[in-house]
Amino acid sequence: MKIGVQVGQVVVRGYDLQRQWLEQLEQFRACRDAGFDFVSWGHHWLIDPFQHFQPIPVLARFAAEAGAMDLVTGVLLTPLLNPVQVAEDVATLDHICRGRLILGIGLGYRAEEFEAAGSKMSERVPRLEEGLALMKRLWTDDEVTHHGRFHHVTGARPTAKPYQQPYPRIWVAAMTEPAFRRAGRLGHPFYAIGTLTLDDIRAALTIWRTALSESGHPLPSEIPVHRELYVAPTREEARAKARPAVETKYRGYAQHGLPSVGAALDAGVDRLMDDPFVIGAPDECLEKLARLRELGTTHLALRLFWPGMTQAEALGMIDLVAAKILPTLAPL
């Protein structure tokens, strides 16, 4: 099983941005040196009360020092973006990292981002599907004419084709039944979001595999899953430190409208911390994470960084996971 680190918006607005960047660069280097297999970087705009850097330029910078690590857009909200721009940016980044790019894509769920993009949330599914189809043609065809609902090109000759052929691996983020079916219908792995319980993922895999079969697609070789992780030497310490961080992070998600998060928080933070989150001493965390391998998980992205963490705490988390979890989990 490939083990990576998921980086999303966790730094609260007002923190010095240059210090944030240098610390996140140091965290990336520490993860690389610790033996993580990939880094996955999230995408949002206008993400108050947090502040966050954008994935394509960040991953391009990381590529210079990534070694054998894969780089994942986790996830790029393509309905907000022009697919021609995305196709050429992704092809460029794929060459910069010599084919170690995985393109994770998702719908998005925040009205203010769609307003900023000049589109509507009600259009996000057809925008994702039309945009992905156009990107694939731009990556594979020498000349493209496309006149769709949202995008138009006539006799276009792409200026950059990906390093990987025919194009980078694609993961489609999903947390609801229609999204699981969509990923299967499109023929790609679904990237299981961190709020899905073990039982949710088991049911989702059945839905996804059925959609793959009905659409005539082969079973993809990758099953990526994201988990929220907080590990400390003891269970008591982990839960005490995680509680305020989880509340800050997920209250922000609830305010932003992430589906099901508000109801989950209303049921109590402890419920989230029990399942689906992985919070506790190393042995407890290892036991929970190993269950994901039993479902067929091939790529496991762990969130190690949380609101309010100092740099010393973040680096300490990396060291603890590297020492106590990776040696047992990675060979599974």
Side-chain angles (χ1 to χ4, degrees):
M1 186 158 57
K2 301 293 186 183
I3 314 299
V5 58
Q6 173 71 38
V7 183
Q9 63 280 3
V10 297
V11 179
V12 177
R13 177 177 293 279
Y15 198 76
D16 181 83
L17 280 164
Q18 182 59 198
R19 181 178 176 183
Q20 174 181 338
W21 165 245
L22 294 175
E23 289 181 349
Q24 290 181 319
L25 184 58
E26 184 181 17
Q27 292 164 12
F28 157 73
R29 290 168 174 157
C31 288
R32 176 201 61 198
D33 295 344
F36 284 88
D37 296 299
F38 63 93
V39 58
S40 176
W41 196 276
H43 173 217
H44 275 295
W45 295 342
L46 311 173
I47 196 65
D48 188 78
F50 305 106
Q51 53 191 40
H52 185 63
F53 298 115
Q54 297 304 305
I56 297 292
V58 166
L59 293 177
R61 173 63 183 86
F62 285 175
E65 303 182 33
M69 292 180 83
D70 284 338
L71 307 175
V72 183
T73 58
V75 295
L76 197 67
L77 306 178
T78 53
L80 301 174
L81 306 172
N82 184 303
V84 176
Q85 178 80 53
V86 175
E88 302 224 358
D89 283 351
V90 165
T92 301
L93 180 54
D94 199 37
H95 279 277
I96 290 172
C97 70
R98 294 181 63 85
R100 288 178 285 103
L101 177 65
I102 298 172
L103 176 62
I105 63 173
L107 288 179
Y109 56 88
R110 300 176 59 240
E112 53 265 60
E113 291 176 320
F114 284 89
E115 180 185 42
S119 60
K120 302 174 182 177
M121 279 189 61
S122 60
E123 300 171 344
R124 59 187 178 160
V125 171
R127 281 184 177 275
L128 181 141
E129 295 192 15
E130 181 183 333
L132 181 59
L134 177 54
M135 286 188 285
K136 288 178 178 179
R137 291 194 61 197
L138 292 167
W139 289 327
T140 57
D141 295 353
D142 291 330
E143 184 172 302
V144 177
T145 294
H146 170 93
H147 296 292
R149 177 179 172 186
F150 304 107
H151 307 292
H152 300 270
V153 294
T154 303
R157 300 185 65 83
T159 55
K161 298 283 185 75
Y163 182 95
Q164 299 174 75
Q165 295 299 314
Y167 40 74
R169 290 167 285 167
I170 297 170
W171 296 349
V172 181
M175 59 186 303
T176 63
E177 183 172 335
F180 306 142
R181 294 189 188 281
R182 184 180 312 114
R185 180 167 49 77
L186 294 173
H188 297 295
F190 77 88
Y191 189 9
I193 301 304
T195 53
L196 297 173
T197 67
L198 199 68
D199 287 342
D200 290 337
I201 296 173
R202 185 179 291 108
L205 287 169
T206 299
I207 295 167
W208 170 68
R209 290 185 177 117
T210 299
L212 283 166
S213 177
E214 290 175 347
S215 301
H217 295 299
L219 187 67
S221 61
E222 296 178 339
I223 298 178
V225 174
H226 164 222
R227 291 289 89 170
E228 306 281 32
L229 178 73
Y230 205 114
V231 62
T234 68
R235 184 176 193 272
E236 293 73 22
E237 180 182 349
R239 293 181 73 87
K241 289 184 174 180
R243 183 172 285 102
V246 169
E247 287 178 339
T248 299
K249 175 67 175 168
Y250 275 78
R251 287 296 174 197
Y253 271 144
Q255 292 169 8
H256 296 149
L258 183 64
S260 77
V261 167
L265 280 175
D266 290 342
V269 171
D270 283 330
R271 181 176 173 183
L272 280 173
M273 291 169 60
D274 290 335
D275 186 24
F277 297 176
V278 180
I279 297 172
D283 288 349
E284 180 184 4
C285 291
L286 185 58
E287 180 183 357
K288 286 186 174 182
L289 294 172
R291 294 175 194 160
L292 292 164
R293 184 58 181 141
E294 296 170 4
L295 296 181
T297 300
T298 61
H299 291 69
L300 181 58
L302 303 175
R303 187 193 303 280
L304 305 182
F305 315 125
W306 290 89
M309 263 190 171
T310 67
Q311 181 71 344
E313 288 172 331
L315 297 175
M317 180 86 78
I318 295 168
D319 289 342
L320 187 57
V321 172
K324 300 294 185 179
I325 293 179
L326 287 188
T328 301
L329 193 61
L332 294 180

